[in-house]
Amino acid sequence: MREVAAEAEKPVMLYSVGKDSAVMLHLAKKAFYPSPPPFPLMHVDTTWKFQAMYQLREKAAKDAGMELIVYQNPEAKEKGINPFDHGSLHTDMWKTEGLKQALTKYGFDAAFGGARRDEEKSRAKERIFSFRTSNHRWDPKNQRPELWKQYNMRKAKDESIRVFPISNWTELDIWQYIHLENIDIVPLYKSAKRPTVERDGMLLMVDDDRFPLKEGEEPVMRSIRFRTLGCYPLTGAVESDAETLPEIIQEMLLTTTSERQGRAIDHDQAASMEKKKQEGYF
Amino acid sequence: MTNSTNTHSDKAYEAEALIAQDIDAYLEKHQHKSMLRFITCGSVDDGKSTLIGRLLYDSKMIFEDQLASLENDSKSVGTQGQEIDFALLVDGLAAEREQGITIDVAYRFFATEKRKFIVADTPGHEQYTRNMVTGASTADLAVILIDARQGVLTQTKRHSYLVNLLGIKNIVLAVNKMDLVDYSEDRFKEIISDYKEFADSIGMESFTAIPISGLKGDNIVDKSEATPWYEGATLLSHLEEAPVSDSSMVDRGFRMSVQWVNRPNLDFRGFSGIVTSGTVRPGDAIRVLPSGKTSTVKSIVTMDGDLDMARVGQSITLTFEDEIDCSRGDIIATSDAPPEVADQFESTIVWMAEEEMLSGRPYLLKIGSQTVSATITEPKYEVNVNTAGKLPSKTLKLNSIGVCNIATSKPVTFECYADNPDMGGFILIDRMTNATVAAGMIHFALRRSQNIHWQAVDVDKDAHSAQKNQTPRLLWFTGLSGSGKSTIANLVEKKLFAEGKHTFLLDGDNVRHGLNKDLGFTDACRVENIRRVGEVAKLMTDAGLIVMTAFISPFQAERQMVRDMFGDGEFIEVFVDTPLEVAEERDVKGLYKKARAGDLKNFTGIDSPYEQPQNAEIRVNTVEMSAEEAADLIVEKLMAL
C-alpha cells in the first residue's frame, strides 16, 4: 500500500463494505499511522446492497478519517436496472460498467481491491499488481513478473493498476484477523432471526419493500447469516446459529461448501469469473 | 496397497475434532503457525498439478461444491477416465484447461495443523524460465519432480540450476510415479545417484529425495506400505519441518528500506518501511544511506502503540532524535555495520522480455524502493542452463541468463544477493514499454568506481562559457536518413558562427570514420554510438561550446539517455520531420535503394524502426520549408531561449 501511495499519481481504495474490504481498510490505517491513509475510499454502489451495509459504510470512512466517494451508474439508475427483472445485466451495468465509469471520471490510476487468490480459480493467477488497458481490460497473457518484493508500477498514461494487497490471505486468515483486531463488520455476517424466502434453492433475505414476492411466497423468520455480502436479492444466506466470530469461524471450518457458492453470479457460465474480469469486473 | 483417493487423512479428522470441541484452542494454534512458501517444478508430464491437487485434497482445502465440479470436469476433459483428475483443480484459466497445460505461475494455499503453505505452481516448458524464476524468487523451498520412468532430464537440470541460482537452500527431489516402476528401490537409488552428480556440479549443497505417487498418494501425507525400504519423512512432514528463510535474517545487522515519509503534521516526521533484516530498538545508533548521515532511533511507531523492539518482517514507522535528510529509497541501517554503496556491480541477469538485451541502453533499475537509471555491459558469458556451462555471447535473449557488469546513474545501497536477497535482487524496466525485462542478482561491487574520483578543476564550465559570452547548448538533430539533418545543422552552424558564437558540429558519418569506426549498425552498436557521441558532446559543452549533432538516433531511450546527461534546458532536441516516402525519394546517398534491394541490413525506416520524438523542443518540417528556412527558424528559437 505504501508503494502505491508513493508511486501512483491518484490512488483510490475500492470499498465494498464486505469483510475483505474491512480488513483491507484496517491494514491501510496501520500502514500509514499516524497519518490517515493518503487516498479516498470509493464504493461502486448498485442501490441494492443490504441496508446494514450502507450504515457501516459511512461510519467506517469517518472512523478512518478518509473521504468516501459513492458512485452509481447514472444510466443504470435511469433505466431502473434491478436484479429481479434484468438478470446478469444488473451486475454488468451497476458493477462492471459503474466501476469503469467511476475510475475514468475521477482519473484514478491505481485502485486497491480486496480480492483473494483462494476465492476462485482464475484469481489464483492474478498478480498483486494487475495492469489494465485504457479500456480497463485485463490480459492474463500479458502480466508482469513479480519478483521478490519488487513491484514495477510504471505505466503508460491511460493505463491503470488494480492492486490486491490481501491477495495471499485465505478466508480463515480474514476471519481470524477480524477476530484478533476486533474490526467492525456488517452484522449480517453473524446469525440472527431475519425475514427470508426460499427461491431457486437459495435462501434470500427480504431486506426492504422492493422485494417482489411471488404468489404463495410469505417471508419466514429464520436464523440466518451470510458468508459473503453483495446485492441482497443475489446473495444467498445460510441457516446458522453462529452469533460470535469464533462460532462463525468454527462453522466455516466445518462446512463443506465454498464461499462464493452463495453468489448467483459465478454460476452463470463456465469460467464466468474469468470472462467478467477480462471485461473489467473487479 | 496404496491409500485414500476418496477419504481424507486421519490428521484432517483430528483437526476437525478440535475445531468442533474447542474453537478458541484451534484459533490460538492457527495464529501461531508459520508460513512456508514453496515452488513445484518439473517437466510437463511429471504430474505437478496432480501433486498439488492431492495436497489440497488431503489437507481438506477442497469443498464439496468444488469437488462436484471437479468430478464433472474430470469426466468431460479429464485425463484419468472416471477417476478424479486433481490437475483440473490447479489449472486455472479457461484456455489452459482446454490445452491441458499450465502457462503461468499459479499460487495455491493450504494449511495443516503445523503450518500454512503457499505453493507456486510453475510451468515446465522450456520457454517459460521467466515464470519459474518469478515463482522461485519468493520461495523458501523447492520441490523438483522427476518422473521415475524418465529419470533426470534436461528440464530437471534446468530447474535445479534455477532454484539454486535463486538461492533456495532447501530442495526436495520428489521422485514421482513410483507406482509405474513397481515401487523399485533400485530405480529410486539410481535416480538419486544421477541427480547427485549434477547437483554437485552446480554447487547445490544438499537435497532430500522422496519416492512418491501423486496419483495414488504414496508418501504424500502418510507413509506408504508400498515402499517399506524408504525410511525418510513423507513429503508433507518434510514441508512441515523445513526452516523458513526469514529465520536466517534475524541475526543480521538492521536494515530497512524507506517506502514512505510519514508527515501527518509539522510535529511528526517518521519513516515507514518493512524491516529487511535484523532488529531495531529505541536508542539504537543508525545510519541513513547513501548519504551516510547518522542519528539515533527515538521511537518505533505503530497503530497499536510504540514498540520496544521490531524485527525482520515487521512493518513500522521510525522517528529519529535528529532532523536528518531521509527520503523514499534511502536505507536505514545499523550505524556500525552499514551495507555497501556503489554505482558499478557484477551481477547475474535473467532476461525476461521478447526484445533482446541491449548493452549500453539505459534501463531503469529498481532495487527495494530505489529506482535509478542503469546500463549493462556485454555479457561476460551466458550460462547454458541445461549443463551449467559457460558460453560466449554478445547479448541476452528471452529466458537466457548471463553475467554482466551494470553501471547506475546514482549510487545504490545494496548487499550481495547471496547474503540478503531483498537487498541484492533487482528488476530492470524498459523505459518505453514500462515492462519488467529482467531480474538481476548482485554478486559484488566493482572497486573501479570507488577508485576513480572526479577531478575538480578551477577553470570550470561557467568560466569557459563566460569567456565566450554564451550559454553552452547541445542541439540534437534527429530524423530519418535523407531528412536533411546534416544540411540543416551545417547551415545553423554557419549562421551562429557568423553571429560570433563558438560552435562545433558532430556529424554522424564523420564520427563513424574515427571515434566510432569499430561500431556497426546493429541495435546494440547504434546505442553505443549514441552514448559515445553524448559523452563527447558533454565534454564540448563543458568547454562552453554550442554543439550540434546530426545522427539518425532512432530510439527514444537513447535520446532520453543523452538528455539525462545534461542540465535542465541544455539539451535541445531538433526533430527534422520528413516522411519516409519523401526521404526515400530524395535518397541522396543511394542508401534506400540498397536497403530495399536487401544489400543493406538494419536500415532505419526499412527494416529497423524510427521512434519519433514526442516532445522535441524544436520541430522542422522539410516538406513545407526549405533547408534555409528551417535553419533560420532554429536559430531564431535558440536565440529566444
Side-chain angles (χ1 to χ4, degrees):
Chain A
M1 289 189 191
R2 291 174 184 154
E3 289 297 303
V4 174
E7 296 208 4
E9 277 171 32
K10 202 174 175 191
V12 66
M13 178 168 281
L14 297 181
Y15 180 69
S16 73
V17 212
K19 61 183 191 307
D20 299 326
S21 282
V23 165
M24 184 166 65
L25 174 58
H26 192 75
L27 290 169
K29 284 155 67 174
K30 287 198 169 197
F32 298 99
Y33 180 86
S35 298
F39 37 77
L41 288 174
M42 183 164 78
H43 183 218
V44 179
D45 189 18
T46 65
T47 72
W48 288 95
K49 303 290 176 189
F50 291 92
Q51 295 308 312
M53 294 171 75
Y54 293 119
Q55 285 155 21
L56 181 67
R57 181 179 78 184
E58 312 297 324
K59 180 174 181 294
K62 199 162 154 260
D63 289 351
M66 294 164 78
E67 183 196 350
L68 172 70
I69 298 169
V70 174
Y71 187 86
Q72 299 171 344
N73 179 353
E75 199 191 338
K77 206 171 177 176
E78 193 191 325
K79 290 187 176 157
I81 301 294
N82 69 74
F84 297 107
D85 304 325
H86 301 103
S88 69
L89 189 65
H90 170 77
T91 306
D92 288 349
M93 288 199 61
W94 283 112
K95 293 180 83 172
T96 311
E97 276 308 310
L99 174 61
K100 288 194 227 173
Q101 286 172 3
L103 292 175
T104 307
K105 177 180 171 189
Y106 293 100
F108 293 122
D109 63 339
F112 293 105
R116 306 193 320 268
R117 282 172 180 161
D118 72 334
E119 281 179 299
E120 197 269 339
K121 270 199 277 189
S122 81
R123 284 211 161 129
K125 310 212 168 172
E126 180 106 46
R127 304 298 161 97
I128 292 174
F129 285 69
S130 178
F131 288 77
R132 304 299 156 109
T133 65
S134 49
N135 305 322
H136 302 290
R137 284 186 73 95
W138 179 61
D139 177 3
K141 295 216 164 124
N142 193 19
Q143 298 193 86
R144 292 177 185 172
E146 287 179 349
L147 293 128
W148 302 292
K149 291 163 193 152
Q150 307 280 348
Y151 299 108
N152 170 7
M153 280 198 54
R154 297 183 62 91
K155 55 181 178 46
K157 211 161 172 229
D158 295 330
E159 290 171 353
S160 60
I161 313 178
R162 310 280 168 94
V163 188
F164 303 104
I166 53 170
S167 182
N168 283 343
W169 292 48
T170 61
E171 191 183 4
L172 175 58
D173 295 335
I174 294 283
W175 280 120
Q176 182 143 36
Y177 192 69
I178 290 171
H179 180 46
L180 282 173
E181 296 279 321
N182 208 5
I183 300 170
D184 235 359
I185 51 163
V186 184
L188 293 166
Y189 285 116
K190 298 176 184 175
S191 180
K193 290 256 185 227
R194 297 183 172 108
T196 58
V197 296
E198 203 176 335
R199 189 182 283 181
D200 304 331
M202 281 208 319
L203 215 47
L204 298 175
M205 175 174 158
V206 183
D207 194 48
D208 59 34
D209 52 18
R210 291 181 295 175
F211 195 104
L213 291 172
K214 288 182 184 164
E215 217 174 282
E217 273 183 350
E218 183 72 36
V220 180
M221 296 301 281
R222 289 184 174 95
S223 275
I224 55 152
R225 63 177 204 91
F226 294 86
R227 297 186 61 192
T228 171
L229 291 175
C231 295
Y232 80 81
L234 293 174
T235 310
V238 290
E239 288 200 79
S240 162
D241 294 318
E243 291 172 5
T244 66
L245 279 162
E247 282 168 4
I248 290 171
I249 298 171
Q250 184 173 37
E251 194 175 272
M252 181 204 93
L253 290 170
L254 295 176
T255 178
T256 47
T257 49
S258 72
E259 187 181 4
R260 294 200 72 89
Q261 205 202 23
R263 292 210 185 169
I265 152 172
D266 282 5
H267 302 305
D268 274 7
Q269 47 185 297
S272 63
M273 183 62 96
E274 188 176 325
K275 188 157 171 294
K276 284 196 163 56
K277 265 196 340 189
Q278 288 187 19
E279 287 162 0
Y281 181 73
F282 207 79
Chain B
M1 199 199 113
T2 61
N3 61 18
S4 69
T5 305
N6 292 310
T7 55
H8 294 308
S9 72
D10 295 345
K11 280 182 187 164
Y13 281 123
E14 277 167 31
E16 216 167 280
L18 182 62
I19 293 163
Q21 284 152 22
D22 191 349
I23 183 69
D24 291 324
Y26 176 84
L27 288 177
E28 170 73 14
K29 216 168 156 184
H30 184 77
Q31 187 189 332
H32 296 103
K33 282 177 191 172
S34 58
M35 160 115 77
L36 182 91
R37 300 182 66 125
F38 70 99
I39 63 164
T40 53
C41 29
S43 301
V44 183
D45 298 320
D46 288 342
K48 285 190 311 292
S49 297
T50 303
L51 176 67
I52 295 166
R54 163 68 67 179
L55 285 169
L56 297 178
Y57 181 80
D58 282 350
S59 63
K60 207 168 179 294
M61 292 304 287
I62 304 177
F63 294 104
E64 255 171 29
D65 55 335
Q66 289 174 334
L67 196 59
S69 102
L70 179 65
E71 278 168 1
N72 257 333
D73 287 358
S74 295
K75 282 168 194 156
S76 56
V77 283
T79 56
Q80 299 298 326
Q82 292 300 303
E83 300 265 318
I84 293 174
D85 187 350
F86 289 112
L88 291 176
L89 193 72
V90 181
D91 293 345
L93 303 183
E96 296 170 38
R97 284 169 64 176
E98 281 153 26
Q99 288 169 24
I101 46 172
T102 324
I103 57 166
D104 202 345
V105 190
Y107 296 92
R108 292 285 155 192
F109 307 84
F110 67 98
T112 64
E113 277 176 279
K114 291 187 178 156
R115 201 169 239 183
K116 299 187 241 190
F117 298 94
I118 297 181
V119 46
D121 183 16
T122 56
H125 313 285
E126 188 140 355
Q127 65 270 39
Y128 287 117
T129 293
R130 174 176 93 155
N131 294 337
M132 225 207 88
V133 168
T134 305
S137 72
T138 54
D140 303 302
L141 177 150
V143 176
I144 293 173
L145 275 136
I146 284 191
D147 184 329
R149 296 167 303 174
Q150 308 278 343
V152 178
L153 300 176
T154 302
Q155 286 289 327
T156 319
K157 293 182 181 173
R158 165 176 279 253
H159 298 147
S160 304
Y161 174 79
L162 290 174
V163 297
N164 194 52
L165 177 72
L166 270 287
I168 298 177
K169 297 275 178 275
N170 203 322
I171 290 166
V172 174
L173 186 72
V175 182
N176 195 17
K177 306 196 183 181
M178 287 300 292
D179 51 320
L180 299 180
V181 295
D182 298 328
Y183 300 99
S184 157
E185 183 182 9
D186 289 345
R187 180 62 185 146
F188 182 65
K189 283 188 168 159
E190 188 184 356
I191 289 170
I192 293 180
S193 148
D194 288 352
Y195 189 77
K196 179 141 195 339
E197 198 176 318
F198 180 75
D200 287 346
S201 77
I202 59 169
M204 185 188 286
E205 284 164 18
S206 65
F207 65 90
T208 306
I210 306 176
I212 62 163
S213 165
L215 193 65
K216 307 281 183 194
D218 296 287
N219 293 327
I220 305 288
V221 175
D222 298 314
K223 279 211 156 190
S224 171
E225 289 167 24
T227 55
W229 42 266
Y230 174 69
E231 291 177 348
T234 63
L235 179 60
L236 194 64
S237 40
H238 184 84
L239 294 175
E240 285 178 333
E241 301 299 331
V244 294
S245 57
D246 254 10
S247 56
S248 64
M249 287 296 156
V250 182
D251 300 327
R252 307 286 180 98
F254 169 69
R255 276 116 182 71
M256 184 181 97
S257 178
V258 177
Q259 293 180 294
W260 195 70
V261 178
N262 201 331
R263 296 218 70 173
N265 54 58
L266 291 174
D267 301 327
F268 186 93
R269 187 158 173 266
F271 307 97
S272 304
I274 297 174
V275 181
T276 310
S277 66
T279 54
V280 63
R281 289 180 177 79
D284 282 359
I286 55 89
R287 191 180 294 268
V288 175
L289 297 155
S291 73
K293 300 254 170 57
T294 56
S295 184
T296 307
V297 175
K298 186 173 166 189
S299 58
I300 305 171
V301 179
T302 76
M303 194 166 87
D304 304 313
D306 288 2
L307 304 180
D308 297 330
M309 195 260 280
R311 53 184 279 159
V312 56
Q314 274 182 288
S315 188
I316 53 169
T317 296
L318 291 179
T319 63
F320 300 153
E321 293 288 357
D322 314 276
E323 285 256 335
I324 57 170
D325 272 350
C326 183
S327 52
R328 175 171 165 82
D330 288 349
I331 303 284
I332 302 171
T334 179
S335 179
D336 48 3
E340 280 185 82
V341 174
D343 61 1
Q344 288 193 37
F345 316 94
E346 185 191 273
S347 60
T348 298
I349 305 270
V350 182
W351 200 253
M352 298 185 158
E354 293 285 346
E355 280 181 33
E356 66 186 36
M357 178 182 107
L358 284 180
S359 53
R361 162 165 290 191
Y363 294 97
L364 290 172
L365 181 149
K366 188 170 187 201
I367 176 166
S369 39
Q370 312 170 77
T371 304
V372 296
S373 184
T375 54
I376 317 167
T377 59
E378 274 183 12
K380 294 180 174 176
Y381 57 86
E382 188 182 328
V383 178
N384 178 338
V385 286
N386 298 330
T387 61
K390 295 176 184 177
L391 306 164
S393 176
K394 288 267 177 206
T395 181
L396 294 176
K397 292 193 170 66
L398 177 63
N399 290 318
S400 57
I401 297 174
V403 171
C404 310
N405 287 347
I406 289 204
T408 56
S409 59
K410 285 191 295 187
V412 167
T413 312
F414 76 100
E415 286 184 288
C416 80
Y417 182 82
D419 286 347
N420 186 346
D422 283 336
M423 296 271 303
F426 61 85
I427 55 172
L428 293 176
I429 301 167
D430 185 292
R431 278 169 173 271
M432 294 297 293
T433 64
N434 294 322
T436 301
V437 293
M441 287 149 276
I442 294 179
H443 300 171
F444 47 78
L446 299 170
R447 298 295 155 195
R448 215 165 43 181
S449 57
Q450 289 169 1
N451 295 335
I452 302 175
H453 295 283
W454 191 257
Q455 185 63 48
V457 288
D458 291 330
V459 182
D460 62 4
K461 187 173 180 176
D462 289 345
H464 280 296
S465 45
Q467 184 200 37
K468 297 178 181 65
N469 194 24
Q470 64 184 29
T471 312
R473 307 254 186 216
L474 169 58
L475 286 166
W476 187 274
F477 289 77
T478 172
L480 292 168
S481 174
S483 59
K485 294 181 300 297
S486 296
T487 312
I488 297 170
N490 194 37
L491 285 169
V492 170
E493 186 177 30
K494 271 175 36 189
K495 287 174 197 286
L496 291 173
F497 190 81
E499 298 271 336
K501 300 292 180 194
H502 298 261
T503 61
F504 195 82
L505 172 61
L506 278 165
D507 182 79
D509 286 353
N510 297 352
V511 169
R512 280 189 178 275
H513 285 300
L515 177 66
N516 290 352
K517 71 178 171 190
D518 56 327
L519 299 177
F521 289 88
T522 62
D523 284 356
C525 285
R526 284 174 190 270
V527 170
E528 176 60 12
N529 185 38
I530 297 306
R531 189 192 68 80
R532 290 187 198 172
V533 169
E535 292 289 356
V536 170
K538 184 161 170 53
L539 291 174
M540 288 182 168
T541 55
D542 283 350
L545 297 178
I546 296 173
V547 185
M548 275 139 281
T549 60
F551 293 82
I552 298 173
S553 46
F555 304 129
Q556 173 65 30
E558 281 67 57
R559 296 193 300 262
Q560 183 66 39
M561 164 178 72
V562 178
R563 188 184 282 271
D564 289 347
M565 289 179 196
F566 288 80
D568 274 351
E570 226 172 29
F571 177 91
I572 295 160
E573 192 168 20
V574 182
F575 176 28
V576 183
D577 189 0
T578 307
L580 179 64
E581 311 83 71
V582 179
E584 189 168 355
E585 200 179 305
R586 287 182 195 158
D587 206 5
V588 198
K589 300 169 193 162
L591 297 174
Y592 282 97
K593 201 179 279 171
K594 274 194 196 169
R596 287 287 183 202
D599 297 339
L600 200 55
K601 291 285 171 212
N602 295 321
F603 193 74
T604 301
I606 307 297
D607 57 351
S608 182
Y610 179 78
E611 295 166 7
Q612 290 209 356
Q614 300 304 313
N615 298 301
E617 279 78 3
I618 303 175
R619 179 176 162 272
V620 290
N621 184 324
T622 64
V623 179
E624 288 164 10
M625 58 180 100
S626 67
E628 196 65 41
E629 286 166 343
D632 282 337
L633 179 77
I634 292 164
V635 171
E636 188 188 318
K637 290 210 169 175
L638 179 66
M639 292 306 182
L641 286 173

